[in-house]
Amino acid sequence: MSNLEFRRHRRLRQTPGLRSIVRETHLHTEDLIYPLFVVEGDNIKNEVPSMPGVFQWSLDRLGKEVEEAVNAGLQTIILFGVPSEKDETGSCAYDHQGIVQKATRQIKEHYPHLTVIADTCLCQFTDHGHCGVVEDGEILNDESLELLAKTAVSQAEAGADIIAPSNMMDGFVAAIRQGLDEAGFQNVPIMSYAVKYASAFYGPFRDAAHSSPKSGDRKTYQMDPANRREAFREAQSDAEEGADFLIIKPALSYLDIIRDVRNSHNLPIVAYNVSGEYSMIKAAAQNGWINEKEVVLEKITSMKRAGADLVLTYFAKDIAGWLNDSK
């Protein structure tokens, strides 16, 4: 066999040092966005049953969790609000004393350099659980835009650094951009949930945010998981309407879509590692079937390799700790 000719790719895999210097994709703490659920009330730290290690926090206990995130090196959080009252128009979403607004002011007072993203949607705040105005069972598109813009403006007034609308109404980025600009917030960027599928992976989140629809589903406004080309149309519309970031949600089953959007747009791309993806790994790890740290790091790295600049993940604080330990 001395006359065989072949390439020796293994040469670059022989030692940890060699593998490190030729590694193509790197994960850093600044790539991570940490989701936090904030609720009305006092002395509340409720673990979400379907999301081990994820909690709902009242404002008086939120500070400790934010402090831990900051000390771990995380630079960005996103707030999801769970109100004490709901109505048909989700008025607590755009109330200046709403839970997201109060949490934003509190966090920015103590951590002015921490980037705070406000999730901008109505589903947690409406008594019907849909992301817009409902009339005779129909989710009305244009009538919902005004309420979404009001919500975005109230969040910006509270100090949110980024507005992240997740409702998937047609024209939502244009409406929110106009609303922010007219209110004097021209410099507040929009992180659009540009490509959001009607996914079965959202179940645990709906437990955490109390946001399940009371009737019907969200398939008339969220995307069909079978569709690929539609993602190009959605992302293009949001980019043209003024989005500054594009979110693809979910992430793990949609790595091809992340790559497609990355190849077609120069805006920062955000992969949302959603609740179902989180909970499956937690359940498998608790049963001893997988190594949680290794699986999580491999999974998040795959999202960056697919083209994501940022990853929104419930594992963010854990990942930051693991990255710090490896230094």
Side-chain angles (χ1 to χ4, degrees), residues 129-303:
H130 280 289
C131 304
V133 177
V134 176
E135 186 176 294
D136 297 327
E138 179 184 356
I139 296 88
L140 303 181
N141 191 91
D142 296 8
E143 291 80 353
S144 302
L145 298 181
E146 180 181 354
L147 300 184
L148 293 166
K150 285 177 62 177
T151 301
V153 170
S154 71
Q155 293 169 338
E157 288 174 343
D161 298 288
I162 300 173
I163 299 301
S166 57
N167 55 89
M168 286 295 284
M169 296 294 116
D170 290 337
F172 70 99
V173 173
I176 288 172
R177 184 71 273 161
Q178 182 182 63
L180 290 171
D181 290 353
E182 290 178 352
F185 296 107
Q186 296 92 340
N187 292 326
V188 173
I190 295 174
M191 181 180 284
S192 169
Y193 287 67
V195 181
K196 183 178 180 180
Y197 286 90
S199 171
F201 285 99
Y202 301 153
F205 174 91
R206 292 173 183 172
D207 289 343
H210 300 170
S211 63
S212 296
K214 292 293 178 60
S215 62
D217 54 41
R218 295 177 177 149
K219 293 182 180 180
T220 65
Y221 46 105
Q222 296 178 1
M223 290 173 50
D224 185 341
N227 289 357
R228 173 174 174 263
R229 295 190 301 273
E230 186 180 8
F232 289 93
R233 301 196 296 272
E234 288 282 0
Q236 185 63 35
S237 293
D238 287 9
E240 291 173 353
E241 291 172 18
D244 301 282
F245 302 79
L246 301 174
I247 297 178
I248 290 84
K249 178 184 180 183
L252 190 58
S253 293
Y254 298 86
L255 296 177
D256 59 323
I257 306 301
I258 294 173
R259 173 47 57 186
D260 285 339
V261 176
R262 168 77 291 154
N263 287 344
S264 58
H265 291 278
N266 290 321
L267 293 174
I269 304 299
V270 183
Y272 193 151
N273 175 214
V274 300
S275 59
E277 298 167 353
Y278 171 89
S279 296
M280 288 191 302
I281 287 181
K282 278 292 185 182
Q286 288 179 350
N287 278 285
W289 298 335
I290 61 170
N291 181 304
E292 181 177 340
K293 174 183 174 180
E294 291 182 0
V295 168
V296 169
L297 292 177
E298 181 177 340
K299 178 184 69 169
I300 302 301
T301 299
S302 77
M303 296 168 192

Side-chain angles (χ1 to χ4, degrees), residues 38-45 57-62 82-84 99 102 106:
V38 290
V39 299
E40 300 281 7
D42 297 312
N43 196 32
I44 296 172
K45 180 185 178 183
W57 302 93
S58 56
L59 296 183
D60 57 324
R61 300 194 65 174
L62 178 64
V82 183
S84 56
I99 185 62
K102 289 191 290 188
Q106 176 177 303

Side-chain angles (χ1 to χ4, degrees), residues 120-138:
T120 307
C121 198
L122 301 177
C123 61
Q124 300 103 292
F125 300 90
T126 56
D127 53 15
H128 46 72
H130 280 289
C131 304
V133 177
V134 176
E135 186 176 294
D136 297 327
E138 179 184 356

Side-chain angles (χ1 to χ4, degrees), residues 86 160 186 317:
K86 303 187 179 195
Q186 296 92 340
K317 195 169 69 168

Side-chain angles (χ1 to χ4, degrees), residues 43-117:
N43 196 32
I44 296 172
K45 180 185 178 183
N46 290 335
E47 186 170 30
V48 180
S50 56
M51 299 180 71
V54 173
F55 298 86
Q56 297 172 329
W57 302 93
S58 56
L59 296 183
D60 57 324
R61 300 194 65 174
L62 178 64
K64 180 64 174 177
E65 181 66 7
V66 175
E67 180 183 14
E68 289 183 6
V70 170
N71 289 341
L74 295 174
Q75 299 180 19
T76 308
I77 63 168
I78 183 168
L79 295 176
F80 296 96
V82 183
S84 56
E85 298 180 3
K86 303 187 179 195
D87 58 34
E88 62 180 6
T89 61
S91 60
C92 286
Y94 44 88
D95 187 334
H96 293 282
Q97 293 302 314
I99 185 62
V100 170
Q101 289 81 354
K102 289 191 290 188
T104 299
R105 287 192 290 267
Q106 176 177 303
I107 293 168
K108 294 300 290 185
E109 179 181 356
H110 293 92
Y111 301 97
H113 300 298
L114 182 66
T115 298
V116 175
I117 305 171

